[in-house]
Amino acid sequence: MLFSTVAPASTSTSTSRDADSIPQHHPTRDQFAPIPIPLRSLLPHSKLSLGCPILSRLLSGGLPVGTLTEISGESATGKSQLCLQLLLSSLLPPCLGGLAASSLLILPSLLPFSSLLKRLSRLPSPLHPSPLDHIFVASAHSPDHLMMLLYQADRLFHKSPSLMPPLRLIVVDSIAAIFRSEFDNNFGDLKARTGMFFRVAAKLKEQASRFGAVAVVTNQVVDVMGPEMAGDVGNNHHMGPALLSSGRMVAPAMGLSWANCVNTRIFLSRNDEMAAVGVNGEDMAACTRRSMEVVFAPHVPRSSCEFVIRKDGVFGLDIERQ
Amino acid sequence: MEISNLPISPSIRSKLLSKGYTSLSSLSSISPSFLAQELSVKLEEAVEVLRAVSDTTTSKSAHIPYGIIPGAVTAWDMLSEEQMQRHISTGCEDLDAILGGGIHCKEVTEVGGVPGIGKTQLGIQLAVNVQIPVEYGGLGGKAVYIDTEGSFMAERAYQIAEGCIYDILDKFPSNSREFLSCKERLQVNNFLAGIFYFRICSYTEQIAVINYLENFLTEHGDVKLVIIDSVTFHFRQDFDDLAQRTRVLGGLSLRLMKLSKMFNLAVVLLNQVTTKFTDGSFQLTLALGDSWSHSCTNRIILHWNGNERCAYIEKSPSVPSASAPYLVTGKGIRGINSNFKRARIM
């Protein structure tokens, strides 16, 4: 339960409590009088910048603390690159859109670790001499293992080892890979899988809420049938306007249950257009239009913008420059 | 509760007593013509007697033992009370219209829909609209918002409160003295202070806060709306014993229904959707199972109709099933035509 450290004057509780002396994350046994949180104390709502002002503006400042955001898209749409950008952004002080914090990256496997390190080191980080020192990495080979890692991360939220700032960002890349092939397709296992979705999401959201942190997961997409099957709910037509990528209708993986678990859903897409030949005759790679769409979020409407992936990061495009 | 206290002529009184009508309740469901026949008096005199009876009874509170069953209330009293109830506007005129004015107090309303359809937005809109002063057609009450998912953002509540105030001042441009004092109360900070926000992170906390609500509502008598967003989230974590889950949820819904009647407020429960395999295909249905579907008085489903958002009343004891489109705008929930409507108050 979240207890505000300054008890608002307007509410009184039947049990007497010294609100200031009790830390927020350790409710004592006789506290069954929850205190409402005054809304003005939640303003302005801190956000984690996406590392690019145009992309952050799409989300009215960035990812809100206390929430769980999903970044879904086909492979090679820039999800992992964006995650790395978030990991670095969290190091910045709040005045620059960061969380002044360490971050934790959870992967299904540490095999691509060297390429990960290479990509991280290429990203500019002018304010920090050694940003990699503030990024924890772990691998989770199953949903249960993931839960265990999250419980272990609790102590990092309270206090990090040595001189590192406490943990305030968890990135799971990708959640679909961690859940894949763990469950068979029979009914009992599907129910267990759904239960795990909610447990993982609840744990991430609880940590985000309690510690003013941000939780991000990436997800893959699955193909969706065309409109001639519109009556059948299994084809995602109940989720509103379709999402397109590479000219196909797609939907984020893990279904409706998982969709209920996240606060914000961001969809990255790419659409390859006719290849052009460069001025000097060099073969310009098929012009790829990349788009980031906010499918739903608690604080901004549905909107999208185009972006590019460069060696030094992911950057949004202003409409005039298209 | 005695015939002897009625303001009627002594001859009629003695006739009533001799015929065996000794208490007011015995006269509560008699037609004037029957009474006239019984007492051998003129019809107008019988009507007067019954009017005297109803005047006496309506001036008493409904909790006084009434005839046979203590605490019982006549349907007539209930009807007049219901007709005097104000409803909480949803912000969308079409939706308010099919709801019979808005969300009803003393009832539990469940609102379900797919992620991103606007459930939390509707919740925040209701938490703002319940605070609209009585002079402007609202309830002038406060709201309790129990957030289980973390989708409530204070900055969005700020925007919605701003939008609501803007629209009120636009609709009621009067500058007369009566309105000046409540115009001062139309401040965004007041609206934010009028929402009691609880953030809970597990199903045990959810049960605890609902149990605590009775105390809280006793202390804060001006709360007219309790929203739980969403009631489902913490109950889908694979309870080992589904029967236990059903029992716990049943207990929660009974408690909420009791609170809504006791404190004369509206309870709104936001729910998620899931798919159910019926009749050979997958259908969208609200989560928490079949037994839960009986727990709420009203049920509204929010869904996509192509690219348009729609609200459908699936279950209501007082209004027929109907559908209405709505928009989620920067100012909050609005109807399709609200941009074109301009209400002018003379």
Side-chain angles (χ1 to χ4, degrees):
Chain A
M1 196 99 60
L2 279 194
F3 296 94
S4 51
T5 48
V6 177
S10 55
T11 59
S12 57
T13 58
S14 45
T15 58
S16 62
R17 258 181 65 244
D18 185 359
D20 288 346
S21 67
I22 298 169
Q24 276 189 341
H25 39 269
H26 289 303
T28 59
R29 211 174 257 206
D30 54 356
Q31 285 176 359
F32 48 86
I35 293 183
I37 303 169
L39 291 187
R40 58 192 146 80
S41 71
L42 297 175
L43 289 170
H45 199 121
S46 311
K47 306 218 180 61
L48 172 63
S49 154
L50 266 66
C52 157
I54 297 173
L55 293 180
S56 299
R57 198 175 28 193
L58 195 66
L59 281 150
S60 183
L63 307 182
V65 307
T67 63
L68 171 60
T69 300
E70 175 197 77
I71 302 176
S72 59
E74 278 188 292
S75 57
T77 42
K79 306 188 293 287
S80 301
Q81 193 68 20
L82 190 55
C83 284
L84 298 182
Q85 205 153 299
L86 288 169
L87 290 169
L88 286 181
S89 179
S90 68
L91 289 170
L92 298 173
C95 55
L96 292 175
L99 302 170
S102 307
S103 39
L104 169 63
L105 173 64
I106 301 180
L107 309 161
S109 126
L110 286 181
L111 283 177
F113 196 53
S114 58
S115 68
L116 174 70
L117 275 182
K118 237 194 289 183
R119 283 156 90 186
L120 264 176
S121 53
R122 262 195 232 127
L123 294 180
S125 167
L127 292 176
H128 270 271
S130 50
L132 299 186
D133 284 349
H134 300 264
I135 301 178
F136 296 94
V137 185
S139 81
H141 50 74
S142 74
D144 284 317
H145 190 198
L146 173 62
M147 279 304 287
M148 199 179 78
L149 283 175
L150 293 180
Y151 275 105
Q152 285 174 351
D154 273 341
R155 66 177 172 85
L156 291 176
F157 279 105
H158 291 328
K159 188 170 149 19
S160 266
S162 61
L163 299 163
M164 291 173 65
L167 188 65
R168 286 295 180 264
L169 168 67
I170 293 191
V171 177
V172 182
D173 181 14
S174 74
I175 191 96
I178 294 177
F179 270 89
R180 191 174 34 207
S181 78
E182 173 70 13
F183 299 93
D184 295 322
N185 244 350
N186 61 61
F187 182 65
D189 267 4
L190 282 178
K191 278 197 58 159
R193 194 177 87 136
T194 304
M196 272 314 278
F197 288 165
F198 282 92
R199 280 177 58 194
V200 168
K203 181 67 183 165
L204 285 169
K205 281 178 172 179
E206 184 200 2
Q207 287 171 328
S209 229
R210 233 168 251 261
F211 301 105
V214 176
V216 179
V217 301
T218 65
N219 194 5
Q220 293 156 355
V221 295
V222 292
D223 281 294
V224 161
M225 302 284 197
E228 60 270 13
M229 310 272 284
D232 190 350
V233 133
N235 289 310
N236 262 350
H237 290 283
H238 50 277
M239 291 290 285
L243 301 173
L244 293 164
S245 187
S246 299
R248 301 166 3 240
M249 274 173 58
V250 295
M254 310 210 307
L256 183 54
S257 336
W258 174 253
N260 280 310
C261 290
V262 301
N263 296 115
T264 305
R265 172 166 271 183
I266 296 175
F267 175 68
L268 302 183
S269 61
R270 64 153 198 256
N271 283 292
D272 295 327
E273 299 191 337
M274 290 292 290
V277 178
V279 179
N280 300 333
E282 84 265 22
D283 192 16
M284 271 170 69
C287 172
T288 306
R289 295 203 99 144
R290 297 179 185 277
S291 174
M292 171 187 288
E293 182 177 343
V294 176
V295 181
F296 57 80
H299 61 309
V300 291
R302 210 174 164 125
S303 50
S304 65
C305 86
E306 294 203 6
F307 67 94
V308 291
I309 304 181
R310 304 201 302 241
K311 277 216 172 79
D312 58 339
V314 181
F315 297 100
L317 292 176
D318 248 337
I319 308 176
E320 296 85 58
R321 280 162 55 188
Q322 281 176 3
Chain B
M1 284 298 197
E2 287 263 320
I3 299 286
S4 46
N5 292 334
L6 272 183
I8 49 179
S9 70
S11 58
I12 298 193
R13 190 177 304 140
S14 57
K15 282 188 188 168
L16 279 171
L17 290 172
S18 67
K19 280 288 178 179
Y21 294 102
T22 49
S23 71
L24 288 180
S25 58
S26 55
L27 284 174
S28 56
S29 50
I30 292 199
S31 70
S33 49
F34 180 76
L35 187 62
Q37 217 174 350
E38 277 274 290
L39 303 178
S40 318
V41 294
K42 285 199 286 248
L43 187 61
E44 302 82 58
E45 286 172 327
V47 167
E48 259 188 38
V49 168
L50 288 175
R51 193 178 303 132
V53 168
S54 72
D55 280 346
T56 321
T57 49
T58 50
S59 61
K60 294 196 198 315
S61 115
H63 289 302
I64 292 181
Y66 198 95
I68 308 157
I69 305 172
V73 178
T74 65
W76 181 257
D77 285 339
M78 284 174 72
L79 175 64
S80 22
E81 212 182 295
E82 216 176 85
Q83 283 169 343
M84 288 194 317
Q85 285 281 7
R86 289 176 178 275
H87 301 111
I88 307 177
S89 165
T90 58
C92 166
E93 302 90 9
D94 294 330
L95 182 52
D96 284 345
I98 60 172
L99 282 170
I103 301 287
H104 298 249
C105 286
K106 286 195 159 181
E107 289 180 9
V108 176
T109 305
E110 185 181 2
V111 179
V114 294
I117 194 74
K119 302 185 291 293
T120 303
Q121 302 299 310
L122 180 60
I124 303 179
Q125 185 72 62
L126 291 172
V128 163
N129 283 0
V130 73
Q131 301 185 55
I132 297 176
V134 177
E135 293 88 341
Y136 293 112
L139 272 77
K142 300 208 173 143
V144 164
Y145 198 104
I146 299 174
D147 184 7
T148 69
E149 297 197 346
S151 286
F152 182 95
M153 301 257 312
E155 65 182 49
R156 183 65 180 139
Y158 191 99
Q159 274 181 341
I160 291 182
E162 250 184 354
C164 175
I165 293 174
Y166 182 88
D167 281 355
I168 291 178
L169 293 176
D170 196 47
K171 198 170 154 195
F172 295 91
S174 162
N175 273 319
S176 67
R177 224 176 334 119
E178 305 93 61
F179 283 103
L180 268 179
S181 67
C182 45
K183 248 172 131 168
E184 279 159 17
R185 277 184 271 136
L186 285 183
Q187 300 291 329
V188 182
N189 285 328
N190 288 349
F191 275 68
L192 289 185
I195 302 178
F196 297 106
Y197 173 72
F198 295 87
R199 173 80 172 99
I200 62 158
C201 297
S202 73
Y203 85 90
T204 46
E205 287 184 20
Q206 189 169 333
I207 298 173
V209 85
I210 292 175
N211 287 347
Y212 173 67
L213 268 183
E214 193 171 335
N215 284 353
F216 187 84
L217 293 172
T218 313
E219 269 177 50
H220 298 91
D222 45 2
V223 171
K224 287 271 170 260
L225 172 67
V226 171
I227 305 182
I228 306 187
D229 175 16
S230 64
V231 71
T232 330
F233 182 68
H234 293 290
F235 283 90
R236 293 183 74 183
Q237 290 180 30
D238 201 19
F239 266 60
D240 290 321
D241 184 3
L242 265 187
Q244 185 203 29
R245 187 182 89 158
T246 310
R247 272 199 308 275
V248 168
L249 286 172
L252 281 186
S253 77
L254 273 180
R255 197 173 286 266
L256 290 167
M257 191 136 12
K258 178 179 151 202
L259 288 175
S260 77
K261 302 239 185 274
M262 196 194 300
F263 294 99
N264 192 13
L265 45 85
V267 173
V268 174
L269 305 179
L270 303 182
N271 198 356
Q272 298 171 344
V273 289
T274 180
T275 49
K276 188 163 94 161
F277 194 72
T278 49
D279 303 327
S281 72
F282 281 100
Q283 300 291 330
L284 271 188
T285 180
L286 294 197
L288 296 180
D290 287 328
S291 41
W292 173 258
S293 63
H294 299 295
S295 307
C296 301
T297 324
N298 304 290
R299 216 166 210 214
I300 302 174
I301 314 258
L302 305 180
H303 64 101
W304 286 102
N305 191 5
N307 280 3
E308 204 179 55
R309 291 172 213 259
C310 250
Y312 170 65
I313 299 181
E314 193 197 52
K315 175 182 172 191
S316 162
S318 45
V319 294
S321 283
S323 222
Y326 67 95
L327 298 171
V328 179
T329 70
K331 291 199 281 183
I333 304 274
R334 292 292 185 270
I336 301 278
N337 296 320
S338 30
N339 293 331
F340 307 113
K341 264 196 198 160
R342 278 266 177 270
R344 288 265 174 255
I345 305 293
M346 294 306 157

